[in-house]
Amino acid sequence: MELKKLMAGIEAVLFANGDAVEVDRLSQLFEADKATVKKILQMLKDRYDQGDSGLCLLRLGESY
C-alpha cells in the first residue's frame, strides 16, 4: 500500500476508534510491518506537534 494511503488509513482508524489502538492491531489491519506502522505513527505525531493543530497523538505503551 502506498505510504500516503497507509498514513490516511491509520489516522482514520485512530480517530474513529475512540480508544487506544495497539501497533500490532494496526499492522494486522493494514497488512504492514510494525516498523512501517511505527514510522507512520511518529510522522503523524510530529505533524500534530509542529502545526497549529488542536489534535494530539498520545503513545500509551504499545498503543496510540
Side-chain angles (χ1 to χ4, degrees):
M1 182 180 285
E2 181 185 323
L3 190 63
K4 270 185 136 175
K5 288 182 180 181
L6 184 57
M7 182 182 285
I10 289 172
E11 185 176 34
V13 168
L14 290 174
F15 290 102
N17 193 50
D19 289 320
V21 182
E22 292 183 357
V23 173
D24 287 336
R25 182 68 181 134
L26 291 168
S27 288
Q28 291 171 352
L29 284 171
F30 294 100
E31 298 177 349
D33 61 278
K34 280 178 63 171
T36 300
V37 171
K38 285 182 176 184
K39 176 182 172 182
I40 288 172
L41 289 165
Q42 188 59 53
M43 290 168 60
L44 286 169
K45 183 171 178 4
D46 291 346
R47 185 172 76 190
Y48 296 140
D49 289 348
Q50 292 173 5
D52 292 334
S53 175
L55 299 174
C56 177
L57 185 61
L58 298 175
R59 182 175 179 195
L60 305 167
E62 282 295 309
S63 299
Y64 284 81

